[in-house]
Amino acid sequence: MECMMMDGGMMGGGMMIAMGLVWLLIVGVLVLAAIALVKYIRSDSGK
C-alpha cells in the first residue's frame, strides 16, 4: 500500500513540474512575441 502511495506521489510531483515547465514555456513565448511586436511597430513607424 505504501509503495502505491509513493508512486502516486512521485507521479503527481512529476506532473506538477511538467505543468510548471509548460507554463514557463508559454509565458516565455508570449514575452518574446510581445518584444518582437514592439520592435516591429517602432521600426515601422520610424520609416
Side-chain angles (χ1 to χ4, degrees):
M1 198 59 136
E2 285 180 22
C3 188
M4 290 280 289
M5 291 296 286
M6 286 294 287
D7 190 45
M10 290 296 286
M11 199 61 158
M15 290 290 281
M16 288 290 284
I17 291 172
M19 286 297 290
L21 289 175
V22 168
W23 276 112
L24 279 175
L25 184 67
I26 291 171
V27 170
V29 168
L30 288 175
V31 169
L32 287 175
I35 292 171
L37 184 64
V38 169
K39 282 188 175 185
Y40 174 75
I41 291 172
R42 283 187 177 178
S43 67
D44 194 39
S45 63
K47 290 183 177 177

